[in-house]
Amino acid sequence: KKAWIYVLGPILGALIGTFVYRITNEDEFVPEATAGSKEPGRQLSGIQHALNEVFGMFFFALTIAVCAGGQYAVYTALAGASMLAAMIYCCAHNSGGHHNPAVTLGALLLRAMSWEKAAVYIIMHVIGAVLGATLGEYITDSVVTLQPQQGLSNGDWLCFLGEFLFTTCLVFSALATGVATQQASYARNAYQSNHHAMAVGWVVVAGGYAIGQFSGAGLNPGLTTGLMA
C-alpha cells in the first residue's frame, strides 16, 4: 500500500502553495482599517515580485526538464508553454509575469522598469531555472541540454536564426499584450486578462515545434542557463 504517497504529497504541496501565495499577495490580506495606507501592502513588494519570478521560472524549467528527459519528450513544447502560461496568469498582476530575461530586457528598454529591478528579475530567472532544471534532471535521471542540430554544415547559423526570430516574436507578444503597458497611464490592463499569458504561451508552442529540430527552442536565456548549468 502506497496510499500515503498520494495523500501526503498533495497535502504538503497545498501547504507550500498556500504559503507562497500568501507572501506574494500581501495586499489582499491587508486589514480593512489600513487598506487606505500604502505601507502595509507594499513594504515587501520588491521581495514579492522577485519570489513570483523565481517561483514561475522554477516550475517552467522543471516542466521542460522532466518532459524533455522522459518518455514524452515530443510534448515538451506544449507542456512547457502550458506551465509558462499558467505562471503568467498567476504572477502578471504582481510582478508582470516575465519569467524570461529577454522579456525583462524589453521592458527595461521601454523604461517600464528600473535597471535595479531588471537585474533582480534576471537573477531570479537564472536561480529559478537552475533549481527547476536540476530537480527535473534528478527526477528523470537524465541530462537535458540545448545544442544546434548535428550533421548540418550550417547548423549553428540555423540555430541562431531560429532563436533570434522566435524570441523576437515572443518578446513582441509579451510587450504588446501586457508588460509594456503595465505601468503606463493609458494601460489597458491587458496583463490581467487572458491575452498576455496565452499570447506568450502560443509563441512558445509554435517556436518549440518550428525550430525545436534546429536549436531545441530555448527562446529564454534564463531557461538555457538552467539547462546547461
Side-chain angles (χ1 to χ4, degrees):
K1 297 292 185 179
K2 302 294 183 179
W4 67 270
I5 297 175
Y6 302 96
V7 174
L8 184 59
I11 289 176
L12 290 177
L15 294 175
I16 297 300
T18 303
F19 174 73
V20 173
Y21 175 78
R22 176 63 177 81
I23 63 177
T24 57
N25 291 270
E26 184 70 21
D27 288 354
E28 299 186 18
F29 298 92
V30 176
E32 292 185 6
T34 60
S37 172
K38 295 183 178 180
E39 291 301 322
R42 291 174 171 79
Q43 287 179 342
L44 301 177
S45 61
I47 297 177
Q48 292 170 354
H49 294 173
L51 288 175
N52 268 299
E53 292 297 312
V54 74
F55 187 77
M57 195 64 184
F58 169 81
F59 278 101
F60 177 45
L62 174 64
T63 302
I64 293 291
V66 170
C67 286
Q71 58 180 324
Y72 299 110
V74 66
Y75 300 114
T76 300
L78 182 59
S82 299
M83 178 58 73
L84 178 60
M87 291 297 99
I88 293 175
Y89 275 128
C90 297
C91 303
H93 72 286
N94 192 316
S95 68
H98 294 193
H99 309 311
N100 189 333
V103 174
T104 299
L105 176 60
L108 177 63
L109 293 176
L110 292 180
R111 299 182 180 180
M113 63 192 310
S114 66
W115 282 95
E116 293 81 3
K117 188 173 184 178
V120 171
Y121 271 37
I122 292 173
I123 292 172
M124 293 300 103
H125 295 156
V126 172
I127 292 175
V130 170
L131 293 176
T134 301
L135 180 58
E137 291 175 355
Y138 170 77
I139 292 173
T140 61
D141 192 25
S142 62
V143 177
V144 178
T145 188
L146 297 174
Q147 63 179 354
Q149 183 179 8
Q150 302 298 309
L152 295 178
S153 59
N154 59 344
D156 290 356
W157 165 246
L158 291 177
C159 177
F160 171 81
L161 186 62
E163 293 292 316
F164 162 69
L165 290 174
F166 279 88
T167 303
T168 298
C169 184
L170 187 154
V171 173
F172 172 79
S173 299
L175 296 178
T177 56
V179 174
T181 60
Q182 183 172 344
Q183 297 179 353
S185 59
Y186 54 88
R188 296 165 294 174
N189 292 324
Y191 65 98
Q192 293 180 334
S193 72
N194 298 343
H195 303 154
H196 182 28
M198 294 312 299
V200 174
W202 285 334
V203 172
V204 171
V205 171
Y209 288 114
I211 64 170
Q213 58 182 320
F214 301 114
S215 70
L219 312 182
N220 187 322
L223 174 64
T224 302
T225 302
L227 293 175
M228 293 185 169

